[in-house]
Amino acid sequence: MNAIAELNEQTDRSLLIVEDDKPFLERLSRAMETRGFAVTSCDTVSDGLAQIGRSAPAFAVVDLRLGDGNGLDVVSALKKKRPDARAIVLTGYGNIATAVTAVKMGAIDYLSKPADADDVVAALLSTSADKSDLPTNPMSADRVRWEHIQRIYEMCNRNVSETARRLNMHRRTLQRILAKRAPR
């Protein structure tokens, strides 16, 4: 309820949701509308960029991996058009490297799917004074390997061939690793 009170203080409640999973997009759109946002939803990067060109929203929830590109392009375009906009990135392929990249491009938070609407609202309305708790369990060795691969992949501007060369790994092996979800 505290988040709803914070939202009521906002004059511009426009929210852009860019998500290619249509059932999730519809559920999240309805949930955010019931919480007081004026929602516009898109399912591709190109639609999201076109919507930002027409009218940059105050808030955005963007999926990282979309069918026609990377959701970080939408976040970057939004921050250029409207620097005060608050965007968060949702993904099922969470890792530290892309989270850092998302924050550098202007996202205020990075949530792993499945995220519930209350988590999304809390992330959108959180202030810099809010601090998250440290994790109680350290990462597994598989997760540390995954994070390292993702960091190198981001450093190579998401170029699979260059990443494979730097990691001394076959390109197809790297593609299979990148296509999988992060280990726990």
Side-chain angles (χ1 to χ4, degrees), residues 21-33 35 114 117:
D21 179 359
K22 294 206 189 276
F24 180 71
L25 175 62
E26 291 172 8
R27 282 192 320 272
L28 184 59
S29 295
R30 280 194 310 270
M32 299 309 277
E33 284 173 350
R35 286 166 175 77

Side-chain angles (χ1 to χ4, degrees), residues 66-135:
L66 296 160
D68 67 335
N70 192 316
L72 295 180
D73 297 336
V74 176
V75 173
S76 179
L78 176 62
K79 292 306 276 189
K80 285 178 185 167
K81 180 95 174 186
R82 186 170 180 173
D84 66 323
R86 299 178 60 82
I88 62 169
V89 174
L90 285 179
T91 186
Y93 301 89
N95 64 67
I96 294 170
T98 52
V100 169
T101 303
V103 170
K104 284 182 180 178
M105 292 183 130
I108 58 166
D109 209 340
Y110 185 90
L111 300 175
S112 294
K113 288 181 184 174
D116 108 341
D118 291 330
D119 294 337
V120 172
V121 170
L124 285 172
L125 300 176
S126 71
T127 62
S128 59
D130 297 339
K131 293 186 180 177
S132 59
D133 296 331
L134 293 173

Side-chain angles (χ1 to χ4, degrees), residues 116-183:
D116 108 341
D118 291 330
D119 294 337
V120 172
V121 170
L124 285 172
L125 300 176
S126 71
T127 62
S128 59
D130 297 339
K131 293 186 180 177
S132 59
D133 296 331
L134 293 173
T136 56
N137 298 329
M139 288 190 285
S140 68
D142 289 336
R143 180 63 187 226
V144 171
R145 175 179 177 261
W146 168 262
E147 296 291 346
H148 176 68
I149 289 170
Q150 292 296 322
R151 184 175 56 84
I152 301 301
Y153 182 58
E154 289 296 325
M155 285 174 50
C156 294
N157 294 319
R158 298 186 289 275
N159 182 318
V160 174
S161 297
E162 177 63 21
T163 305
R165 274 192 291 280
R166 289 190 184 191
L167 292 171
N168 196 24
M169 179 183 289
H170 194 278
R171 186 180 54 79
R172 286 188 182 166
T173 303
L174 178 60
Q175 285 175 314
R176 282 193 293 273
I177 291 169
L178 293 172
K180 294 180 182 177
R181 293 191 184 268

Side-chain angles (χ1 to χ4, degrees), residues 4-53:
I4 302 281
E6 289 179 39
L7 181 61
N8 289 334
E9 295 173 10
Q10 300 286 332
T11 56
D12 186 357
R13 298 179 188 166
S14 57
L15 170 66
L16 173 65
I17 302 175
V18 184
E19 169 66 59
D20 58 354
D21 179 359
K22 294 206 189 276
F24 180 71
L25 175 62
E26 291 172 8
R27 282 192 320 272
L28 184 59
S29 295
R30 280 194 310 270
M32 299 309 277
E33 284 173 350
T34 61
R35 286 166 175 77
F37 287 94
V39 177
T40 302
S41 58
C42 303
D43 60 355
T44 63
V45 170
S46 56
D47 288 348
L49 293 173
Q51 182 60 37
I52 289 169

